[in-house]
PDB file of all heavy atoms in Angstrom:
ATOM      1  N   ALA A   1     101.814 -36.766 -27.569  1.00 93.00           N
ATOM      2  CA  ALA A   1     100.355 -36.865 -27.661  1.00 93.00           C
ATOM      3  C   ALA A   1      99.675 -35.521 -27.879  1.00 93.00           C
ATOM      4  O   ALA A   1      98.508 -35.478 -28.273  1.00 93.00           O
ATOM      5  CB  ALA A   1      99.796 -37.508 -26.390  1.00 93.00           C
ATOM      6  N   CYS A   2     100.392 -34.432 -27.601  1.00 92.00           N
ATOM      7  CA  CYS A   2      99.788 -33.102 -27.700  1.00 92.00           C
ATOM      8  C   CYS A   2     100.663 -32.235 -28.611  1.00 92.00           C
ATOM      9  O   CYS A   2     101.501 -31.452 -28.130  1.00 92.00           O
ATOM     10  CB  CYS A   2      99.678 -32.499 -26.295  1.00 92.00           C
ATOM     11  SG  CYS A   2      98.668 -31.018 -26.183  1.00 92.00           S
ATOM     12  N   PRO A   3     100.522 -32.369 -29.917  1.00 89.00           N
ATOM     13  CA  PRO A   3     101.375 -31.629 -30.861  1.00 89.00           C
ATOM     14  C   PRO A   3     101.355 -30.134 -30.588  1.00 89.00           C
ATOM     15  O   PRO A   3     100.294 -29.542 -30.355  1.00 89.00           O
ATOM     16  CB  PRO A   3     100.763 -31.962 -32.219  1.00 89.00           C
ATOM     17  CG  PRO A   3     100.073 -33.270 -32.009  1.00 89.00           C
ATOM     18  CD  PRO A   3      99.540 -33.218 -30.613  1.00 89.00           C
ATOM     19  N   GLY A   4     102.523 -29.541 -30.608  1.00 89.00           N
ATOM     20  CA  GLY A   4     102.646 -28.107 -30.378  1.00 89.00           C
ATOM     21  C   GLY A   4     102.811 -27.732 -28.926  1.00 89.00           C
ATOM     22  O   GLY A   4     103.127 -26.580 -28.603  1.00 89.00           O
ATOM     23  N   ALA A   5     102.601 -28.687 -28.025  1.00 92.00           N
ATOM     24  CA  ALA A   5     102.747 -28.381 -26.600  1.00 92.00           C
ATOM     25  C   ALA A   5     104.214 -28.286 -26.218  1.00 92.00           C
ATOM     26  O   ALA A   5     105.087 -28.894 -26.841  1.00 92.00           O
ATOM     27  CB  ALA A   5     102.072 -29.461 -25.755  1.00 92.00           C
ATOM     28  N   ARG A   6     104.452 -27.532 -25.180  1.00 94.00           N
ATOM     29  CA  ARG A   6     105.777 -27.442 -24.593  1.00 94.00           C
ATOM     30  C   ARG A   6     105.719 -28.189 -23.252  1.00 94.00           C
ATOM     31  O   ARG A   6     104.755 -28.068 -22.507  1.00 94.00           O
ATOM     32  CB  ARG A   6     106.177 -25.979 -24.360  1.00 94.00           C
ATOM     33  CG  ARG A   6     107.624 -25.791 -23.885  1.00 94.00           C
ATOM     34  CD  ARG A   6     107.903 -24.300 -23.666  1.00 94.00           C
ATOM     35  NE  ARG A   6     109.276 -24.064 -23.276  1.00 94.00           N
ATOM     36  CZ  ARG A   6     110.271 -23.834 -24.122  1.00 94.00           C
ATOM     37  NH1 ARG A   6     110.032 -23.810 -25.427  1.00 94.00           N
ATOM     38  NH2 ARG A   6     111.498 -23.624 -23.676  1.00 94.00           N
ATOM     39  N   VAL A   7     106.753 -28.971 -22.954  1.00 96.00           N
ATOM     40  CA  VAL A   7     106.805 -29.729 -21.709  1.00 96.00           C
ATOM     41  C   VAL A   7     108.122 -29.428 -21.011  1.00 96.00           C
ATOM     42  O   VAL A   7     109.197 -29.546 -21.614  1.00 96.00           O
ATOM     43  CB  VAL A   7     106.665 -31.243 -21.942  1.00 96.00           C
ATOM     44  CG1 VAL A   7     106.539 -31.965 -20.612  1.00 96.00           C
ATOM     45  CG2 VAL A   7     105.468 -31.557 -22.835  1.00 96.00           C
ATOM     46  N   THR A   8     108.017 -29.029 -19.749  1.00 96.00           N
ATOM     47  CA  THR A   8     109.202 -28.682 -18.962  1.00 96.00           C
ATOM     48  C   THR A   8     109.206 -29.495 -17.677  1.00 96.00           C
ATOM     49  O   THR A   8     108.207 -29.548 -16.967  1.00 96.00           O
ATOM     50  CB  THR A   8     109.209 -27.178 -18.606  1.00 96.00           C
ATOM     51  OG1 THR A   8     109.158 -26.410 -19.811  1.00 96.00           O
ATOM     52  CG2 THR A   8     110.470 -26.809 -17.833  1.00 96.00           C
ATOM     53  N   ILE A   9     110.325 -30.126 -17.398  1.00 96.00           N
ATOM     54  CA  ILE A   9     110.502 -30.852 -16.143  1.00 96.00           C
ATOM     55  C   ILE A   9     111.223 -29.921 -15.169  1.00 96.00           C
ATOM     56  O   ILE A   9     112.267 -29.359 -15.490  1.00 96.00           O
ATOM     57  CB  ILE A   9     111.308 -32.137 -16.347  1.00 96.00           C
ATOM     58  CG1 ILE A   9     110.581 -33.075 -17.319  1.00 96.00           C
ATOM     59  CG2 ILE A   9     111.542 -32.850 -15.016  1.00 96.00           C
ATOM     60  CD1 ILE A   9     111.360 -34.324 -17.665  1.00 96.00           C
ATOM     61  N   CYS A  10     110.650 -29.768 -13.991  1.00 97.00           N
ATOM     62  CA  CYS A  10     111.175 -28.847 -12.984  1.00 97.00           C
ATOM     63  C   CYS A  10     111.743 -29.678 -11.821  1.00 97.00           C
ATOM     64  O   CYS A  10     110.982 -30.302 -11.077  1.00 97.00           O
ATOM     65  CB  CYS A  10     110.040 -27.931 -12.516  1.00 97.00           C
ATOM     66  SG  CYS A  10     110.553 -26.561 -11.465  1.00 97.00           S
ATOM     67  N   VAL A  11     113.060 -29.696 -11.704  1.00 96.00           N
ATOM     68  CA  VAL A  11     113.719 -30.541 -10.707  1.00 96.00           C
ATOM     69  C   VAL A  11     114.480 -29.670  -9.706  1.00 96.00           C
ATOM     70  O   VAL A  11     114.916 -28.556 -10.031  1.00 96.00           O
ATOM     71  CB  VAL A  11     114.691 -31.534 -11.361  1.00 96.00           C
ATOM     72  CG1 VAL A  11     113.970 -32.468 -12.296  1.00 96.00           C
ATOM     73  CG2 VAL A  11     115.818 -30.820 -12.103  1.00 96.00           C
ATOM     74  N   PRO A  12     114.662 -30.147  -8.468  1.00 95.00           N
ATOM     75  CA  PRO A  12     115.484 -29.399  -7.514  1.00 95.00           C
ATOM     76  C   PRO A  12     116.893 -29.188  -8.036  1.00 95.00           C
ATOM     77  O   PRO A  12     117.429 -30.010  -8.786  1.00 95.00           O
ATOM     78  CB  PRO A  12     115.470 -30.291  -6.270  1.00 95.00           C
ATOM     79  CG  PRO A  12     114.178 -31.037  -6.369  1.00 95.00           C
ATOM     80  CD  PRO A  12     114.027 -31.313  -7.840  1.00 95.00           C
ATOM     81  N   LEU A  13     117.483 -28.077  -7.636  1.00 94.00           N
ATOM     82  CA  LEU A  13     118.786 -27.680  -8.154  1.00 94.00           C
ATOM     83  C   LEU A  13     119.850 -28.738  -7.910  1.00 94.00           C
ATOM     84  O   LEU A  13     120.736 -28.955  -8.746  1.00 94.00           O
ATOM     85  CB  LEU A  13     119.201 -26.352  -7.519  1.00 94.00           C
ATOM     86  CG  LEU A  13     120.376 -25.592  -8.147  1.00 94.00           C
ATOM     87  CD1 LEU A  13     120.149 -25.365  -9.623  1.00 94.00           C
ATOM     88  CD2 LEU A  13     120.580 -24.265  -7.418  1.00 94.00           C
ATOM     89  N   SER A  14     119.779 -29.439  -6.770  1.00 92.00           N
ATOM     90  CA  SER A  14     120.785 -30.466  -6.479  1.00 92.00           C
ATOM     91  C   SER A  14     120.753 -31.567  -7.532  1.00 92.00           C
ATOM     92  O   SER A  14     121.810 -32.058  -7.969  1.00 92.00           O
ATOM     93  CB  SER A  14     120.546 -31.062  -5.089  1.00 92.00           C
ATOM     94  OG  SER A  14     119.250 -31.643  -4.996  1.00 92.00           O
ATOM     95  N   ALA A  15     119.560 -31.977  -7.945  1.00 92.00           N
ATOM     96  CA  ALA A  15     119.430 -33.006  -8.974  1.00 92.00           C
ATOM     97  C   ALA A  15     119.810 -32.461 -10.346  1.00 92.00           C
ATOM     98  O   ALA A  15     120.469 -33.145 -11.145  1.00 92.00           O
ATOM     99  CB  ALA A  15     118.004 -33.546  -8.999  1.00 92.00           C
ATOM    100  N   PHE A  16     119.406 -31.222 -10.633  1.00 93.00           N
ATOM    101  CA  PHE A  16     119.711 -30.601 -11.924  1.00 93.00           C
ATOM    102  C   PHE A  16     121.218 -30.586 -12.178  1.00 93.00           C
ATOM    103  O   PHE A  16     121.693 -30.897 -13.266  1.00 93.00           O
ATOM    104  CB  PHE A  16     119.151 -29.177 -11.935  1.00 93.00           C
ATOM    105  CG  PHE A  16     119.298 -28.456 -13.248  1.00 93.00           C
ATOM    106  CD1 PHE A  16     118.251 -28.438 -14.156  1.00 93.00           C
ATOM    107  CD2 PHE A  16     120.466 -27.790 -13.575  1.00 93.00           C
ATOM    108  CE1 PHE A  16     118.374 -27.760 -15.368  1.00 93.00           C
ATOM    109  CE2 PHE A  16     120.600 -27.111 -14.770  1.00 93.00           C
ATOM    110  CZ  PHE A  16     119.547 -27.097 -15.675  1.00 93.00           C
ATOM    111  N   ARG A  17     121.995 -30.245 -11.161  1.00 90.00           N
ATOM    112  CA  ARG A  17     123.459 -30.156 -11.316  1.00 90.00           C
ATOM    113  C   ARG A  17     124.081 -31.515 -11.598  1.00 90.00           C
ATOM    114  O   ARG A  17     125.092 -31.615 -12.293  1.00 90.00           O
ATOM    115  CB  ARG A  17     124.062 -29.530 -10.061  1.00 90.00           C
ATOM    116  CG  ARG A  17     123.799 -28.037  -9.945  1.00 90.00           C
ATOM    117  CD  ARG A  17     124.170 -27.505  -8.581  1.00 90.00           C
ATOM    118  NE  ARG A  17     124.109 -26.039  -8.546  1.00 90.00           N
ATOM    119  CZ  ARG A  17     124.084 -25.326  -7.441  1.00 90.00           C
ATOM    120  NH1 ARG A  17     124.086 -25.949  -6.252  1.00 90.00           N
ATOM    121  NH2 ARG A  17     124.026 -24.003  -7.478  1.00 90.00           N
ATOM    122  N   LYS A  18     123.478 -32.588 -11.054  1.00 87.00           N
ATOM    123  CA  LYS A  18     123.991 -33.925 -11.333  1.00 87.00           C
ATOM    124  C   LYS A  18     123.609 -34.374 -12.733  1.00 87.00           C
ATOM    125  O   LYS A  18     124.385 -35.056 -13.419  1.00 87.00           O
ATOM    126  CB  LYS A  18     123.444 -34.919 -10.307  1.00 87.00           C
ATOM    127  CG  LYS A  18     123.982 -34.706  -8.899  1.00 87.00           C
ATOM    128  CD  LYS A  18     123.328 -35.671  -7.919  1.00 87.00           C
ATOM    129  CE  LYS A  18     123.837 -35.449  -6.507  1.00 87.00           C
ATOM    130  NZ  LYS A  18     123.158 -36.351  -5.532  1.00 87.00           N
ATOM    131  N   MET A  19     122.438 -33.997 -13.171  1.00 88.00           N
ATOM    132  CA  MET A  19     121.968 -34.401 -14.494  1.00 88.00           C
ATOM    133  C   MET A  19     122.644 -33.621 -15.613  1.00 88.00           C
ATOM    134  O   MET A  19     122.905 -34.162 -16.682  1.00 88.00           O
ATOM    135  CB  MET A  19     120.448 -34.206 -14.576  1.00 88.00           C
ATOM    136  CG  MET A  19     119.655 -35.084 -13.629  1.00 88.00           C
ATOM    137  SD  MET A  19     117.921 -34.571 -13.505  1.00 88.00           S
ATOM    138  CE  MET A  19     117.320 -34.996 -15.143  1.00 88.00           C
ATOM    139  N   PHE A  20     122.924 -32.350 -15.359  1.00 88.00           N
ATOM    140  CA  PHE A  20     123.527 -31.463 -16.363  1.00 88.00           C
ATOM    141  C   PHE A  20     124.756 -30.784 -15.770  1.00 88.00           C
ATOM    142  O   PHE A  20     124.739 -29.582 -15.506  1.00 88.00           O
ATOM    143  CB  PHE A  20     122.520 -30.411 -16.827  1.00 88.00           C
ATOM    144  CG  PHE A  20     121.279 -30.981 -17.433  1.00 88.00           C
ATOM    145  CD1 PHE A  20     120.118 -31.129 -16.688  1.00 88.00           C
ATOM    146  CD2 PHE A  20     121.263 -31.385 -18.766  1.00 88.00           C
ATOM    147  CE1 PHE A  20     118.966 -31.654 -17.249  1.00 88.00           C
ATOM    148  CE2 PHE A  20     120.106 -31.906 -19.331  1.00 88.00           C
ATOM    149  CZ  PHE A  20     118.959 -32.047 -18.579  1.00 88.00           C
ATOM    150  N   PRO A  21     125.828 -31.526 -15.520  1.00 83.00           N
ATOM    151  CA  PRO A  21     126.999 -30.933 -14.855  1.00 83.00           C
ATOM    152  C   PRO A  21     127.647 -29.804 -15.645  1.00 83.00           C
ATOM    153  O   PRO A  21     128.326 -28.959 -15.074  1.00 83.00           O
ATOM    154  CB  PRO A  21     127.949 -32.126 -14.692  1.00 83.00           C
ATOM    155  CG  PRO A  21     127.487 -33.130 -15.702  1.00 83.00           C
ATOM    156  CD  PRO A  21     126.022 -32.952 -15.808  1.00 83.00           C
ATOM    157  N   GLY A  22     127.416 -29.765 -16.965  1.00 73.00           N
ATOM    158  CA  GLY A  22     128.028 -28.712 -17.773  1.00 73.00           C
ATOM    159  C   GLY A  22     127.163 -27.479 -17.921  1.00 73.00           C
ATOM    160  O   GLY A  22     127.604 -26.471 -18.490  1.00 73.00           O
ATOM    161  N   ALA A  23     125.935 -27.516 -17.412  1.00 68.00           N
ATOM    162  CA  ALA A  23     125.037 -26.380 -17.567  1.00 68.00           C
ATOM    163  C   ALA A  23     125.377 -25.281 -16.570  1.00 68.00           C
ATOM    164  O   ALA A  23     125.881 -25.530 -15.477  1.00 68.00           O
ATOM    165  CB  ALA A  23     123.587 -26.815 -17.378  1.00 68.00           C
ATOM    166  N   ALA A  24     125.085 -24.048 -16.939  1.00 52.00           N
ATOM    167  CA  ALA A  24     125.352 -22.905 -16.061  1.00 52.00           C
ATOM    168  C   ALA A  24     124.178 -22.728 -15.117  1.00 52.00           C
ATOM    169  O   ALA A  24     123.314 -21.881 -15.322  1.00 52.00           O
ATOM    170  CB  ALA A  24     125.578 -21.651 -16.890  1.00 52.00           C
ATOM    171  N   ALA A  25     124.131 -23.551 -14.074  1.00 47.00           N
ATOM    172  CA  ALA A  25     123.018 -23.507 -13.115  1.00 47.00           C
ATOM    173  C   ALA A  25     123.341 -22.519 -12.009  1.00 47.00           C
ATOM    174  O   ALA A  25     123.881 -22.854 -10.972  1.00 47.00           O
ATOM    175  CB  ALA A  25     122.778 -24.892 -12.537  1.00 47.00           C
ATOM    176  N   THR A  26     123.028 -21.258 -12.242  1.00 46.00           N
ATOM    177  CA  THR A  26     123.376 -20.205 -11.289  1.00 46.00           C
ATOM    178  C   THR A  26     122.225 -19.814 -10.386  1.00 46.00           C
ATOM    179  O   THR A  26     122.406 -19.104  -9.416  1.00 46.00           O
ATOM    180  CB  THR A  26     123.862 -18.954 -12.049  1.00 46.00           C
ATOM    181  OG1 THR A  26     122.816 -18.539 -12.936  1.00 46.00           O
ATOM    182  CG2 THR A  26     125.109 -19.276 -12.851  1.00 46.00           C
ATOM    183  N   GLY A  27     121.029 -20.267 -10.684  1.00 45.00           N
ATOM    184  CA  GLY A  27     119.864 -19.892  -9.883  1.00 45.00           C
ATOM    185  C   GLY A  27     118.611 -20.348 -10.580  1.00 45.00           C
ATOM    186  O   GLY A  27     118.578 -20.480 -11.797  1.00 45.00           O
ATOM    187  N   GLU A  28     117.564 -20.624  -9.821  1.00 42.00           N
ATOM    188  CA  GLU A  28     116.396 -21.246 -10.409  1.00 42.00           C
ATOM    189  C   GLU A  28     115.715 -20.371 -11.451  1.00 42.00           C
ATOM    190  O   GLU A  28     115.038 -20.885 -12.333  1.00 42.00           O
ATOM    191  CB  GLU A  28     115.390 -21.652  -9.321  1.00 42.00           C
ATOM    192  CG  GLU A  28     114.742 -20.512  -8.559  1.00 42.00           C
ATOM    193  CD  GLU A  28     115.554 -20.063  -7.377  1.00 42.00           C
ATOM    194  OE1 GLU A  28     116.748 -20.426  -7.292  1.00 42.00           O
ATOM    195  OE2 GLU A  28     115.019 -19.323  -6.534  1.00 42.00           O
ATOM    196  N   GLU A  29     115.888 -19.040 -11.375  1.00 37.00           N
ATOM    197  CA  GLU A  29     115.230 -18.196 -12.357  1.00 37.00           C
ATOM    198  C   GLU A  29     115.916 -18.262 -13.717  1.00 37.00           C
ATOM    199  O   GLU A  29     115.349 -17.836 -14.707  1.00 37.00           O
ATOM    200  CB  GLU A  29     115.214 -16.733 -11.880  1.00 37.00           C
ATOM    201  CG  GLU A  29     114.338 -16.474 -10.658  1.00 37.00           C
ATOM    202  CD  GLU A  29     115.060 -16.727  -9.357  1.00 37.00           C
ATOM    203  OE1 GLU A  29     116.239 -17.096  -9.394  1.00 37.00           O
ATOM    204  OE2 GLU A  29     114.433 -16.562  -8.301  1.00 37.00           O
ATOM    205  N   GLU A  30     117.145 -18.767 -13.791  1.00 41.00           N
ATOM    206  CA  GLU A  30     117.892 -18.695 -15.035  1.00 41.00           C
ATOM    207  C   GLU A  30     118.303 -20.057 -15.588  1.00 41.00           C
ATOM    208  O   GLU A  30     118.871 -20.132 -16.661  1.00 41.00           O
ATOM    209  CB  GLU A  30     119.171 -17.863 -14.828  1.00 41.00           C
ATOM    210  CG  GLU A  30     118.879 -16.441 -14.392  1.00 41.00           C
ATOM    211  CD  GLU A  30     120.136 -15.658 -14.066  1.00 41.00           C
ATOM    212  OE1 GLU A  30     121.232 -16.229 -14.183  1.00 41.00           O
ATOM    213  OE2 GLU A  30     120.014 -14.498 -13.693  1.00 41.00           O
ATOM    214  N   THR A  31     118.045 -21.133 -14.874  1.00 47.00           N
ATOM    215  CA  THR A  31     118.538 -22.433 -15.300  1.00 47.00           C
ATOM    216  C   THR A  31     117.508 -23.135 -16.154  1.00 47.00           C
ATOM    217  O   THR A  31     116.465 -23.548 -15.688  1.00 47.00           O
ATOM    218  CB  THR A  31     118.868 -23.307 -14.086  1.00 47.00           C
ATOM    219  OG1 THR A  31     117.716 -23.369 -13.239  1.00 47.00           O
ATOM    220  CG2 THR A  31     120.014 -22.741 -13.307  1.00 47.00           C
ATOM    221  N   GLN A  32     117.798 -23.261 -17.432  1.00 54.00           N
ATOM    222  CA  GLN A  32     116.911 -23.994 -18.325  1.00 54.00           C
ATOM    223  C   GLN A  32     117.755 -24.644 -19.396  1.00 54.00           C
ATOM    224  O   GLN A  32     118.713 -24.061 -19.895  1.00 54.00           O
ATOM    225  CB  GLN A  32     115.883 -23.075 -18.960  1.00 54.00           C
ATOM    226  CG  GLN A  32     114.857 -23.834 -19.771  1.00 54.00           C
ATOM    227  CD  GLN A  32     113.702 -22.957 -20.177  1.00 54.00           C
ATOM    228  OE1 GLN A  32     113.685 -21.784 -19.862  1.00 54.00           O
ATOM    229  NE2 GLN A  32     112.757 -23.522 -20.875  1.00 54.00           N
ATOM    230  N   THR A  33     117.429 -25.858 -19.723  1.00 55.00           N
ATOM    231  CA  THR A  33     118.143 -26.557 -20.775  1.00 55.00           C
ATOM    232  C   THR A  33     117.197 -27.523 -21.439  1.00 55.00           C
ATOM    233  O   THR A  33     116.118 -27.815 -20.923  1.00 55.00           O
ATOM    234  CB  THR A  33     119.376 -27.296 -20.228  1.00 55.00           C
ATOM    235  OG1 THR A  33     120.148 -27.785 -21.313  1.00 55.00           O
ATOM    236  CG2 THR A  33     118.983 -28.444 -19.314  1.00 55.00           C
ATOM    237  N   ARG A  34     117.568 -28.016 -22.599  1.00 59.00           N
ATOM    238  CA  ARG A  34     116.734 -28.944 -23.347  1.00 59.00           C
ATOM    239  C   ARG A  34     117.242 -30.359 -23.129  1.00 59.00           C
ATOM    240  O   ARG A  34     118.416 -30.576 -22.863  1.00 59.00           O
ATOM    241  CB  ARG A  34     116.786 -28.593 -24.847  1.00 59.00           C
ATOM    242  CG  ARG A  34     115.784 -29.341 -25.696  1.00 59.00           C
ATOM    243  CD  ARG A  34     115.653 -28.699 -27.076  1.00 59.00           C
ATOM    244  NE  ARG A  34     116.894 -28.748 -27.812  1.00 59.00           N
ATOM    245  CZ  ARG A  34     117.252 -29.783 -28.569  1.00 59.00           C
ATOM    246  NH1 ARG A  34     116.496 -30.840 -28.663  1.00 59.00           N
ATOM    247  NH2 ARG A  34     118.391 -29.744 -29.229  1.00 59.00           N
ATOM    248  N   ASP A  35     116.344 -31.358 -23.243  1.00 57.00           N
ATOM    249  CA  ASP A  35     116.742 -32.751 -23.104  1.00 57.00           C
ATOM    250  C   ASP A  35     117.530 -33.134 -24.347  1.00 57.00           C
ATOM    251  O   ASP A  35     117.017 -33.604 -25.340  1.00 57.00           O
ATOM    252  CB  ASP A  35     115.508 -33.645 -22.970  1.00 57.00           C
ATOM    253  CG  ASP A  35     115.882 -35.049 -22.539  1.00 57.00           C
ATOM    254  OD1 ASP A  35     117.063 -35.263 -22.223  1.00 57.00           O
ATOM    255  OD2 ASP A  35     114.997 -35.906 -22.512  1.00 57.00           O
TER     256      ASP A  35
END
């Protein structure tokens, strides 16, 4: 609905690791991935 906008979902690390088991989730300042 908002062309050009960026949208980021911010989830607790415990959930992030289950959703993206292959991602390098080493700390909240560095963990980012695309859907």
Side-chain angles (χ1 to χ4, degrees):
C2 192
R6 186 181 183 90
V7 188
T8 302
I9 299 175
C10 189
V11 299
L13 194 54
S14 59
F16 185 96
R17 287 169 171 164
K18 292 176 181 178
M19 296 168 69
F20 301 98
T26 58
E28 66 273 15
E29 293 86 0
E30 300 175 0
T31 54
Q32 186 169 1
T33 189
R34 190 166 63 87
D35 192 7

